[in-house]
Structures are given as structure tokens and as C-alpha cells.
């Protein structure tokens, strides 16, 4: 826990409620830890909602002690269970620690929020198989609402792509995200004689397990000039890239949800993505799903939608007609409703 000032609290409340909110002395949220009374300002009837990366950064023992001593309600969240479901795709050897965290979190939380039915099913199956417990959970929908700020002109922001058609993949570059299938598909197309291929823009921080891919992209003469990696892109820059791309791709091997797919649809952009239960929750029939390991399938789809603008326009028309962007205010309302219910039950 960290102390926040009165002014910071007022700004947060203003954003949540709208208009101007005045916070009188004393500041409402001050907790000094460690070496202080762990009860802090909490009392029975309160709910603590924790939405961060709990297993790496939070003092969960303190939260559980508050629940035991004071009867406060704990509302936690599960984004995915990758470290235990697919440990080989995780960046660190944290499988045992994450396993212990999941079991402790589901035991001590009054309610667990899951960001998809897929994640809820994965978590329920894991907990049942490991300790047989049941726990209260529900599915919330993450917002895909985008900033209303005007994006700068594309050519001014990214001169290296000025006047060029391009495909877009927004994601951290790491093994699980499977950027390599796009590279392999492009080499297949070039070897087969395809020309006039659009650029491929990878947007995201370079993570782990991609040294070989970056080496290939830099040295393979077949794709020289066809792949561009952009990092530290601003919100306005990302908006520009979404608005001006031909379509997006998302071949990740596993996702708890698929926020970038939802963002693509929010911009009216078609996406070719992993055939996964979580991503079908995001896009339904508005996307085209492909096997993340089949290079020939990806090559065929990339070529088709890069060159058949009529087929692409048809998919975009369906997206504009059927997709409804979820505002973050709806996500917030879901979380607050559950927190209030849990707080009331703890009274």
C-alpha cells in the first residue's frame, strides 16, 4: 500500500464520477506499511479490490490477514494461468510460485474476477484438480474503448511506411506471441513467387525468446525491407497505425482474452488470429481463425486478404455493422457491483 495525497484522491474521484469532486481533510486513503498497524484505515464492511500482478508484487499475506482479522472482503482477478498451463511459454521459471499463488488466491478471496470464460474455465479446472476447492468467480469484459485524442498524420509519425500498405501486429515480442509464423508465411510466399506484399509492422517491446527471429528478420534477404519493428509507440501513434493498416494479425499461441483483437475490431479492422476459445469470445464470426502452427494456412490467408480488397471490404463492413466496442466504464461498473456485493456480505 502507498500513501496518496488529497489532490491525487480528488483527481481519481473526478475521473470516476465526472465533474468536480472536493476531498476534505484528512486525505481519505493513507496506509503506512510496513511497521504499522496492518489494519490501517480498513474496517468490516470494506472491500479491497486488487487488479494487479499480485503474485509478483503484492503482500498477499497482509491482505489475507486483513480479511481474517477484520472481515474485509477481498476481490481478486485472474487474467490467465499461463505459467502453470504452458510453463514452456513463460519468461521465467515461476511455475511453483504461481501455482501456490493461484491456490492461495482462490482460497482467501471472496470473489475472483476472470477476464474471459476461457480463463474462468482454466482456473476452475486447475483449482479443482489440485485441491478440490470451489470458489466464487465471475467473468468481466475488458474495455476496448479507445482514446478520443486526434492521431497525428501517419506520414509525419512514421516516415518509413509513408505511402506503403501494411499489416499490423500489436504485442510484446516473445515466444508465446508467435510472430515467427508471420515471418515463415512471408518466406513461403516469396519462395512461391509472390510479389507486391505489404509491409508487416510489429509494434511492441522486445521480450524473451525471440533472438533467433530478430536475427532472421535482419539477415534473410527474402524479407529484407518487409518487416519493421516499432517500440515505444505513443497512443496517438498506435491509433494512426490501426487506422491506416490493411488489417491486423494475432497468431499468439495462447491468450486469456485478446485485448489487441478487440482494439482492432473497435477501429473497424479485420483480424486473422489464433483459433482459440478466448479469441472467439472477442470476435465471434467477425474474424478469420487460423491454426498457429500451419505456415501454409497463414500464407494463403495473408496473401488473399492483402490482394483481394473486395473480400477485405466485406469483412470490414460486417465489423462496422455488428461489433460494439465495450467502454471501460462498463468494465468498471461490473467490478464495482461485485465489490459492493462482497462488502455487503462481509458486514
Amino acid at each position: 500500500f502507498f500513501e496518496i495525497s488529497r489532490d491525487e484522491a480528488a483527481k481519481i474521484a473526478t475521473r470516476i464520477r465526472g465533474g468536480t469532486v472536493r476531498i476534505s481533510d484528512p486525505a481519505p486513503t493513507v496506509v503506512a506499511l510496513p511497521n504499522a498497524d496492518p489494519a490501517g484505515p480498513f474496517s468490516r464492511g470494506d472491500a479491497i479490490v486488487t487488479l494487479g500482478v499480485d503474485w509478483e508484487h503484492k503482500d498477499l499475506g497482509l491482505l489475507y490477514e486483513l480479511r481474517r482479522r477484520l472481515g474485509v472482503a477481498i476481490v481478486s482477478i485472474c487474467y490467465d494461468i499461463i505459467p502453470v498451463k504452458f510453463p514452456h511459454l513463460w519468461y521465467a521459471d515461476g511455475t511453483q510460485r504461481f501455482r501456490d499463488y493461484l491456490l492461495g488466491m482462490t482460497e482467501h478471496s471472496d470473489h475472483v474476477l476472470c477476464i474471459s470464460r476461457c480463463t474462468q474455465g482454466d482456473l476452475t479446472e486447475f483449482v479443482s484438480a489440485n485441491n478440490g476447492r470451489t470458489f466464487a468467480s465471475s467473468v468481466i469484459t475488458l474495455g476496448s474503448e479507445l482514446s478520443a485524442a486526434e492521431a497525428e498524420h501517419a506520414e509525419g509519425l512514421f516516415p518509413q511506411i509513408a505511402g506503403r500498405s501494411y499489416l499490423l501486429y500489436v504485442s510484446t515480442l516473445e515466444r508465446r506471441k508467435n510472430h515467427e509464423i508471420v515471418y515463415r508465411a512471408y518466406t513461403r510466399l516469396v519462395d512461391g513467387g509472390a510479389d507486391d506484399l505489404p509491409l508487416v509492422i510489429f509494434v511492441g517491446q522486445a521480450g524473451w525468446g525471440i533472438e533467433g527471429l530478430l536475427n532472421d528478420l535482419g539477415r534473410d534477404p527474402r524479407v529484407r525491407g518487409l518487416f519493421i519493428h516499432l517500440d515505444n509507440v505513443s497512443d496517438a501513434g498506435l491509433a494512426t497505425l490501426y487506422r491506416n493498416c490493411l488489417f491486423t494479425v494475432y497468431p499468439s499461441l495462447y491468450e486469456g482474452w485478446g485485448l489487441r483483437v478487440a482494439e482492432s475490431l473497435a477501429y473497424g479492422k479485420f483480424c486473422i488470429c489464433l483459433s482459440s476459445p478466448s479469441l472467439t469470445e472477442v470476435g465471434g464470426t467477425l474474424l478469420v481463425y487460423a491454426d498457429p502452427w500451419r505456415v501454409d494456412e497463414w500464407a494463403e490467408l495473408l496473401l488473399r486478404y492483402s490482394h483481394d480488397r473486395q473480400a477485405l471490404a466485406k469483412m470490414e463492413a460486417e465489423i462496422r455493422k455488428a461489433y460494439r466496442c465495450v467502454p471501460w466504464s462498463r468494465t468498471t461498473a461490473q467490478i464495482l457491483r461485485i465489490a459492493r456485493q462482497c462488502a455487503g456480505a462481509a458486514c
Side-chain angles (χ1 to χ4, degrees):
F1 294 94
F2 300 92
E3 177 180 333
I4 65 173
S5 70
R6 187 170 58 256
D7 289 341
E8 289 172 318
K11 289 177 182 177
I12 293 169
T14 297
R15 287 180 58 192
I16 293 172
R17 300 176 191 170
T20 300
V21 178
R22 295 184 181 276
I23 304 294
S24 58
D25 286 326
T29 307
V30 179
V31 183
L33 293 172
N35 302 321
D37 178 5
F42 303 114
S43 60
R44 185 173 297 277
D46 288 343
I48 299 176
V49 181
T50 171
L51 303 176
V53 187
D54 294 356
W55 74 291
E56 289 189 311
H57 303 303
K58 290 215 175 89
D59 187 348
L60 295 173
L62 172 61
L63 290 181
Y64 303 156
E65 178 65 12
L66 288 172
R67 181 174 185 259
R68 186 189 68 81
R69 285 179 51 191
L70 302 178
V72 298
I74 304 296
V75 179
S76 302
I77 194 167
C78 181
Y79 294 96
D80 58 61
I81 66 166
I82 293 170
V84 294
K85 189 177 179 72
F86 299 110
H88 60 293
L89 298 178
W90 193 244
Y91 69 91
D93 185 18
T95 299
Q96 184 60 46
R97 187 155 56 99
F98 191 74
R99 176 187 180 278
D100 294 342
Y101 158 71
L102 289 178
L103 297 177
M105 181 266 289
T106 51
E107 177 181 355
H108 295 290
S109 296
D110 293 86
H111 200 94
V112 180
L113 306 169
C114 300
I115 62 169
S116 66
R117 293 189 300 275
C118 177
T119 291
Q120 185 184 43
D122 285 348
L123 181 62
T124 301
E125 181 180 357
F126 169 80
V127 173
S128 176
N130 282 273
N131 64 16
R133 290 182 181 273
T134 59
F135 58 95
S137 68
S138 58
V139 176
I140 62 171
T141 304
L142 297 182
S144 53
E145 187 177 32
L146 302 158
S147 172
E150 287 295 320
E152 296 101 323
H153 198 246
E155 285 76 8
L157 272 178
F158 308 108
Q160 66 270 53
I161 64 174
R164 300 286 301 276
S165 297
Y166 62 90
L167 316 182
L168 184 65
Y169 187 8
V170 181
S171 167
T172 303
L173 274 70
E174 61 180 63
R175 281 193 62 225
R176 174 171 60 90
K177 299 297 186 175
N178 196 28
H179 292 72
E180 186 157 347
I181 194 73
V182 183
Y183 160 63
R184 297 296 178 195
Y186 257 48
T187 59
R188 182 73 57 86
L189 290 172
V190 172
D191 288 344
D195 57 8
D196 195 27
L197 292 172
L199 297 175
V200 177
I201 311 296
F202 291 156
V203 178
Q205 182 180 6
W208 79 283
I210 58 159
E211 295 79 7
L213 172 64
L214 294 179
N215 178 74
D216 289 348
L217 291 177
R219 300 182 62 186
D220 190 336
R222 294 171 295 178
V223 297
R224 184 172 292 121
L226 286 176
F227 285 82
I228 296 175
H229 174 213
L230 300 175
D231 195 0
N232 296 315
V233 174
S234 67
D235 287 349
L238 187 58
T240 293
L241 291 169
Y242 270 124
R243 287 178 179 137
N244 292 283
C245 71
L246 279 178
F247 56 89
T248 67
V249 296
Y250 207 83
S252 173
L253 297 175
Y254 177 85
E255 291 296 319
W257 170 239
L259 180 59
R260 298 308 184 183
V261 175
E263 285 182 350
S264 177
L265 293 171
Y267 274 111
K269 294 298 182 176
F270 167 64
C271 180
I272 303 172
C273 66
L274 164 75
S275 51
S276 157
S278 62
L279 295 184
T280 58
E281 289 184 51
V282 178
T285 61
L286 299 176
L287 309 174
V288 166
Y289 303 95
D291 187 311
W293 300 109
R294 289 190 56 187
V295 175
D296 56 341
E297 183 177 4
W298 278 88
E300 188 276 327
L301 289 171
L302 293 176
L303 185 64
R304 178 187 176 194
Y305 286 101
S306 295
H307 287 78
D308 189 344
R309 301 303 170 86
Q310 186 174 356
L312 183 59
K314 181 179 178 181
M315 297 299 296
E316 290 178 344
E318 286 297 315
I319 293 169
R320 289 192 297 270
K321 177 181 176 182
Y323 186 72
R324 296 295 177 267
C325 178
V326 175
W328 281 104
S329 59
R330 186 186 304 173
T331 308
T332 304
Q334 291 177 311
I335 295 170
L336 290 177
R337 175 180 55 80
I338 293 168
R340 291 187 179 109
Q341 290 173 350
C342 291
C347 289

